[in-house]
Amino acid sequence: MRSEPMTFFLNTLKISILVCVISFAPAWAESKAAAQVSIAEVLANIQHFYVDDIDAKKLNQHAIESIFKQLDPHSEFLDQNELEALFNVANGRYTGLGIEVEQREEHIVIVAAVENSPAHTAGLIKGDILLKVNGTSVINQTIKHVSQLINQKQQPQVTLTIARSGHLDPLFFEVERKKIDLKSVRGSINNQGVAYLRIINFNNHTLYDVAKELAHLSQIVAGDINGLIIDLRDNPGGILDSAIEISDLFLESGVIVSTKGRFAEANQEYYAQEGDVLNGAPIIVMINEGSASAAEILAGALQDNHRAQLVGTRSYGKGSVQSLIPLGDGQTALKLTTAKYYTPSGRSIEGTGILPDFPVLQRESEHYAAGDSDSFVNAKVHDLQLEKAWQLLEK
């Protein structure tokens, strides 16, 4: 019986054969035979007949890794621990350092340090390049390998060697693995009734958290919210349903997103239901190159439906959907890219991202508020993108 896939947007990028020709067959026969050969059969013969003893588990792992190298970087095999970690993140909690990373050629680069995480407290920042983990070089290594190095040490302390722009010498950080509760939403509101809402990620609780925060902000001013700034900067994404449901909060009608793939269930259109929690009050959405996946779904849905204007810089450009397909042992799964998503106007943003209506470059020399409610209400922090968003709502 085929397992039903569970669909996620997952932003974390994880993911020799010696041939001896014994005999030849006609091209047509070779092609037909190749199509019928199973990996299990090949591995079984190697294990049974190969001249030396083979570690079956290691051989099987290498075979799996070889298969996924032919696919995109978002598709991978998840073992029991990785699957458990994925579900924990989806439910807003996990044990780790609190860094979001991506692979850029031979380097693993930090794209975000989760707010209030050990990594954030230690001072790790976006753009830091991982050189070593516990003294072991991670250059030209996969994210999966780096994750294993971080988690294999019994002691919770992990030593990271970092290359950082503006520093000639490597930096060293002692970071402790801890249980992290992923707070996905925070907000504030000023005396004019203009609210600020930072969505940090999209997990199973984010819809509830957004609705609860908006109700709380409305109570503070004892009235309606007159305008809203949604900050999606450095939001790496998360769960598809969460992005769709939050988009629907602000839309009366129209397409939110569509997905297209090879199997029937991958082809879907998602529509907004009647009802706008802000009753038409203006919305500004802030994005940058760290806004990806589900964050791009929300930004694209509000932009294409003319419900919000976008401020900031071009978003990341992850326009694919990953589905979890449980395997027969009940403890492992495949995470496969099964569809591409399209904004309401039919745009695929894979590799191109979403362009803001008002491009504003945040200079590195200036502080990025990153959801600091005091900086929004009291204007203590010079954040060009936030200032532009405020100006647009004042018009």
Side-chain angles (χ1 to χ4, degrees), residues 164-209:
R164 179 176 291 176
S165 176
H167 294 261
L168 294 177
D169 298 322
L171 304 178
F172 299 90
F173 294 86
E174 289 285 338
V175 189
E176 184 176 347
R177 294 194 309 271
K178 290 183 178 180
K179 289 184 178 179
I180 302 171
D181 289 325
L182 299 173
K183 185 177 180 181
S184 61
V185 177
R186 50 192 290 190
S188 59
I189 194 165
N190 65 14
N191 293 331
Q192 288 74 45
V194 177
Y196 171 96
L197 190 72
R198 172 153 174 77
I199 303 177
I200 299 164
N201 55 57
F202 292 84
N203 61 46
N204 288 329
H205 308 293
T206 307
L207 173 65
Y208 171 80
D209 292 341

Side-chain angles (χ1 to χ4, degrees), residues 286-364:
M286 293 194 293
I287 59 172
N288 65 4
E289 67 279 3
S291 307
S293 185
E296 293 173 295
I297 287 290
L298 175 56
L302 298 184
Q303 184 184 49
D304 281 6
N305 281 291
H306 308 291
R307 183 64 185 89
Q309 294 177 306
L310 274 53
V311 169
T313 56
R314 184 194 298 267
S315 64
Y316 182 84
K318 181 180 179 292
S320 59
V321 180
Q322 283 67 51
S323 297
L324 276 184
I325 304 173
L327 298 179
D329 60 5
Q331 297 179 325
T332 59
L334 301 182
K335 177 164 73 73
L336 290 180
T337 297
T338 54
K340 292 183 179 180
Y341 73 76
Y342 297 82
T343 68
S345 65
R347 291 180 293 168
S348 170
I349 56 91
E350 178 67 28
T352 61
I354 292 177
L355 289 173
D357 301 293
F358 299 92
V360 178
L361 182 65
Q362 189 74 27
R363 293 191 290 269
E364 291 185 8

Side-chain angles (χ1 to χ4, degrees), residues 83-303:
L83 188 59
E84 182 180 359
L86 185 148
F87 281 121
N88 284 338
V89 170
N91 286 315
R93 64 181 185 276
Y94 76 103
T95 298
L97 305 181
I99 54 175
E100 295 281 349
V101 300
E102 70 176 14
Q103 193 133 19
R104 297 179 187 170
E105 297 179 346
E106 73 271 23
H107 293 299
I108 304 295
V109 181
I110 295 176
V111 296
V114 177
E115 293 180 31
N116 302 317
S117 69
H120 185 264
T121 302
L124 290 163
I125 61 174
K126 175 182 174 181
D128 282 347
I129 299 173
L130 286 177
L131 300 178
K132 294 181 181 180
V133 174
N134 295 325
T136 301
S137 174
V138 294
I139 297 174
N140 281 319
Q141 296 295 331
T142 64
I143 288 176
K144 193 166 189 173
H145 179 70
V146 171
S147 178
Q148 290 170 347
L149 287 176
I150 289 173
N151 292 300
Q152 72 181 10
K153 195 176 178 182
Q154 291 187 348
Q155 291 82 6
Q157 289 77 20
V158 178
T159 302
L160 301 180
T161 306
I162 297 293
R164 179 176 291 176
S165 176
H167 294 261
L168 294 177
D169 298 322
L171 304 178
F172 299 90
F173 294 86
E174 289 285 338
V175 189
E176 184 176 347
R177 294 194 309 271
K178 290 183 178 180
K179 289 184 178 179
I180 302 171
D181 289 325
L182 299 173
K183 185 177 180 181
S184 61
V185 177
R186 50 192 290 190
S188 59
I189 194 165
N190 65 14
N191 293 331
Q192 288 74 45
V194 177
Y196 171 96
L197 190 72
R198 172 153 174 77
I199 303 177
I200 299 164
N201 55 57
F202 292 84
N203 61 46
N204 288 329
H205 308 293
T206 307
L207 173 65
Y208 171 80
D209 292 341
V210 167
K212 181 180 178 182
E213 187 64 31
L214 289 175
H216 172 67
L217 297 177
S218 181
Q219 288 176 352
I220 290 176
V221 294
D224 293 335
I225 293 173
N226 296 322
L228 176 65
I229 297 172
I230 301 176
D231 192 346
L232 298 178
R233 292 177 295 181
D234 294 322
N235 182 320
I239 298 174
L240 170 62
D241 286 347
S242 179
I244 293 170
E245 291 164 347
I246 293 168
S247 299
D248 195 12
L249 286 177
F250 308 107
L251 294 172
E252 287 280 2
S253 61
V255 175
I256 295 173
V257 67
S258 60
T259 62
K260 298 178 183 179
R262 290 178 59 233
F263 74 104
E265 292 85 347
N267 296 280
Q268 301 286 343
E269 280 193 336
Y270 300 89
Y271 292 88
Q273 303 299 311
E274 185 177 351
D276 175 358
V277 294
L278 295 185
N279 297 314
I283 300 174
I284 303 296
V285 176
M286 293 194 293
I287 59 172
N288 65 4
E289 67 279 3
S291 307
S293 185
E296 293 173 295
I297 287 290
L298 175 56
L302 298 184
Q303 184 184 49

